[in-house]
Amino acid sequence: MKTKKILLDESDIPKQWYNVVADMPNPPAPPLGPDGKPIGPDALTAIFPNALIEQEVSAERWIEIPEEVRRIYGMWRPSPLYRARGLEAALGTPARIYYKYEGVSPAGSHKPNTSVPQAYYNREEGIRRISTETGAGQWGCAMALAGQLFGIDVRVYMVKVSYQQKPFRRSMIETWGAEVLASPTDQTNSGRKILAEDPDCTGSLGLAISEAVEEAASRDDTNYALGSVLNHVLLHQTVIGLEAKAQFEKVGDYPDAIFAACGGGSNFGGVAFPFFADKAAGKEVRLVAVEPSSCPTLTRGHYAYDFGDTAGLTPLLQMYTLGHDFIPPGIHAGGLRYHGDSALVSQLVHEGLVEAVAVPQLGTFEAGVTFARSEGIIPAPESSHAIRATIDAALECKRTGEAKTLFFNLSGHGHFDMAAYDDYFAGKLHDYAYPQEEIDAALARLPKV
Amino acid sequence: MKTKKILLDESDIPKQWYNVVADMPNPPAPPLGPDGKPIGPDALTAIFPNALIEQEVSAERWIEIPEEVRRIYGMWRPSPLYRARGLEAALGTPARIYYKYEGVSPAGSHKPNTSVPQAYYNREEGIRRISTETGAGQWGCAMALAGQLFGIDVRVYMVKVSYQQKPFRRSMIETWGAEVLASPTDQTNSGRKILAEDPDCTGSLGLAISEAVEEAASRDDTNYALGSVLNHVLLHQTVIGLEAKAQFEKVGDYPDAIFAACGGGSNFGGVAFPFFADKAAGKEVRLVAVEPSSCPTLTRGHYAYDFGDTAGLTPLLQMYTLGHDFIPPGIHAGGLRYHGDSALVSQLVHEGLVEAVAVPQLGTFEAGVTFARSEGIIPAPESSHAIRATIDAALECKRTGEAKTLFFNLSGHGHFDMAAYDDYFAGKLHDYAYPQEEIDAALARLPKV
């Protein structure tokens, strides 16, 4: 029997996370305060536990994973690496295609890789309540699950359009015992301000972040948790790439190119950064961040200092951004709708060490269906962006006859996205390219620093 | 790190299925034709491939699993056995609780264990089209997936109430390229007859079976596939119990009691039969089939010959039944709504070798939520029946102080059942005990043989 799954033992769960900062050619650009001056770690203690702030600014290459976190990782980790023999056959490509499958977590995506340590460090420092936000719902589920496992109450500000369109993500969050509110709410200044301007506002991720941050900053008993973008979040996700490296070693192969969907960057950073270590040491490997053309942060945004949220409550981060008041078009199904991006991923893109491509919505769903029919697993639309880019590369191999090794991260399953598949089959989805003048206008509103 | 997951290698996927008939004290009661006389295998060739008919009547203990089937099993098998340390802690029980998790299959349940070999044998015998039915949608998904993998067109008659209430199961079936119709349809005599009597009929599993069987019997190019009840279906599912035995051996433990939800019997038979082999050899192990009190086939039905479908198109099987025109109350969320049961499971219950218990709906959901919050995985309502019975046994251990080993099969995840969880949280679900006079009336209509 030709092995399809490449598995590791529970004892092979990494003992340390990998911090890409140690191998970057230049140190990360510092976050700035409202006055345009670099802020220190102290500015973050109102909303984050000290351990996470230390990780956020650390330059150490390896950071220990607490034993209790590893034990909970063991619920679903190590996740399988698959050789996509069915997809290869369907495409008729000489390429060898592999994917790591993070949909095996109870929440169905890679997000618990960081919600679990975030809940752990908060509990260790005596925090019993966390506020957070969620867009498509994956992060809210992951944080609710982790909160339940560590006895922490969780409140989730869920972007209203998702709250309405994805009731089952909401039910899932509630099943794990967390509270869910449709954002914008009347519970925060940020929410009230927007509702006064537009009572029908269906929300955005940036706005939900404002609400959750505001709540955490104004309540002593409450911390904030973010599901992507920040350095410590990407750090936690490196378990994906670290395991994948061990799995490739086990079968004696190594990727020529790695593809991962990129919204805030945690999925991409999680799988790609451990391979960046090899790239920094001279190994040839392409690292490709794939984003939707309807929210083209890395490919059409500016590399500039901007706020992480709509209301401007967060520090300024140097990143690719479409402007913090950018609200992506409602037609785009699934996540990856954030106006900015991880500062680490942005810097590596800016320095030419990481590639970025944008793929259109219809081609993304077509790739997802091809994958479902050849490999069995129905992918999350987010993950299908990586599948699209991988299939394009595999078809290029077919043209050239090259047997390259292609690897992508299947960050989650699509069980809660079947309405989007329905819309796709019914011809209700469209490709959307954001008009350049609107992007220019949003970028003209970037804060001056 | 205390290991939570007990894993096997892909090479440990069983090479043979286990046939319980070889170890039963009495041979199975024969199926009867409309004339009340035993029918031979020939009567089934219009709708089943020969290989499956041979398995249906075989008394061989071990039946070879084709290599191609094992390779596809390798997409998700061997499935993990978990030690439920979180649940044990939540209950404060001295019992050791284990569960096998079948939700790791692409369809999210144990059903592909049989849809894959069924599609395989049909393709081997030149069949390119299969008709089938689905209740809650799990089987329809599994058959669609298998059809896609073997290049077989699949038409699914989906019980209308599920078709309406579970649109995402339908989308999933369509994503895997199969056709879905809401049953009763106007495409078959069985469907048209019911619609003439009751145009608003929301269907039943027995009726959907009639439609699918009628189509297969009337078309040369089409065979029929059933997701439970039949001997060959239970046979295929024994991969679950066979793997579990190897996993228990790996950790040096053995179950005192095994619990599995029982609708048509394939989930129960799949996990319990391989342990029945030990029981037949003198080992003490309780095998407990758990059914909903709203469809109490094993606990309140008669052990009698009855049809497998509503229209009376199938052979007569000796089984526990509530009468082939029994339609369970609409309040019952999830599957396990079949009027009859596997003849093999029924006979073993009748002979006192297998126990049966019925559990109420509210207690079932309460158990499912307890499990989700302590173990992370949100269970399918069907599977929660087994969780309820296991928790009851674990609490009994708490009272007596006994450290028994309890084992249940987590047959699927609940990602497509979140509406039922919503209803539970909103207080919309009720316990339901079918009135005895209605059961008596249905049983009085059993065919006379």
Side-chain angles (χ1 to χ4, degrees), chain B residues 163-340:
Chain B
Y163 184 91
Q164 291 163 341
Q165 288 177 358
K166 304 203 169 199
F168 298 148
R169 282 281 184 198
R170 172 161 51 89
S171 324
M172 218 166 155
I173 295 170
E174 287 170 346
T175 301
W176 281 317
E179 181 191 9
V180 196
L181 303 177
S183 165
T185 73
D186 59 1
Q187 311 265 312
T188 66
N189 292 330
S190 315
R192 283 187 291 266
K193 181 158 175 290
I194 292 276
L195 286 174
E197 290 163 11
D198 175 9
D200 299 325
C201 175
T202 55
S204 72
L205 194 53
L207 177 56
I209 295 175
S210 294
E211 293 209 272
V213 168
E214 183 184 326
E215 172 171 336
S218 62
R219 283 182 62 152
D220 274 352
D221 67 341
T222 303
N223 264 352
Y224 169 70
L226 186 64
S228 191
V229 180
L230 297 178
N231 302 358
H232 68 269
V233 179
L234 275 65
L235 175 79
H236 301 156
Q237 292 292 356
T238 59
V239 286
I240 305 172
L242 291 167
E243 285 179 7
K245 283 177 79 166
Q247 286 161 315
F248 272 108
E249 200 168 325
K250 207 169 161 183
V251 291
D253 208 341
Y254 192 89
D256 294 301
I258 299 173
F259 303 88
C262 194
S266 77
N267 169 45
F268 174 78
V271 67
F273 282 177
F275 291 88
F276 181 84
D278 297 345
K279 191 181 173 83
K283 185 127 186 159
E284 237 180 274
V285 50
R286 290 177 57 207
L287 308 176
V288 186
V290 190
E291 64 184 13
S293 26
S294 56
C295 190
T297 316
L298 295 171
T299 51
R300 296 178 67 195
H302 279 194
Y303 185 57
Y305 270 101
D306 196 6
F307 294 109
D309 70 319
T310 303
L313 300 180
T314 72
L316 290 159
L317 297 170
Q318 186 162 26
M319 60 182 175
Y320 280 94
T321 178
L322 292 163
H324 61 280
D325 56 3
F326 174 87
I327 296 189
I331 58 157
H332 176 223
L336 312 183
R337 296 159 57 96
Y338 186 55
H339 69 273

Side-chain angles (χ1 to χ4, degrees), chain A residues 5 74-75 77 82 373 375, chain B residues 5 74-75 77 82 175:
Chain A
K5 283 199 305 298
M75 289 168 73
R77 307 211 68 83
Y82 281 92
R373 293 186 177 172
E375 289 291 316
Chain B
K5 285 199 303 295
M75 288 169 73
R77 306 210 69 84
Y82 281 93
T175 301

Side-chain angles (χ1 to χ4, degrees), chain A residues 3-5 10 74-75 77 82 148 171-172 174-176 372-373 375-376 378 413 415-416 418 422, chain B residues 3-5 10 74-75 77 82 148 171-172 174-176 372-373 375-376 378 413 415-416 418 422:
Chain A
T3 294
K4 203 175 146 59
K5 283 199 305 298
E10 200 165 333
M75 289 168 73
R77 307 211 68 83
Y82 281 92
Q148 181 67 43
S171 325
M172 216 166 156
E174 288 170 346
T175 301
W176 281 318
R373 293 186 177 172
E375 289 291 316
I378 296 180
H413 61 61
H415 298 173
F416 295 93
M418 296 315 302
D422 269 359
Chain B
T3 294
K4 204 178 145 54
K5 285 199 303 295
E10 198 165 334
M75 288 169 73
R77 306 210 69 84
Y82 281 93
Q148 181 68 42
S171 324
M172 218 166 155
E174 287 170 346
T175 301
W176 281 317
R373 292 186 179 174
E375 289 292 315
I378 296 180
H413 61 62
H415 299 172
F416 295 93
M418 295 315 300
D422 270 0

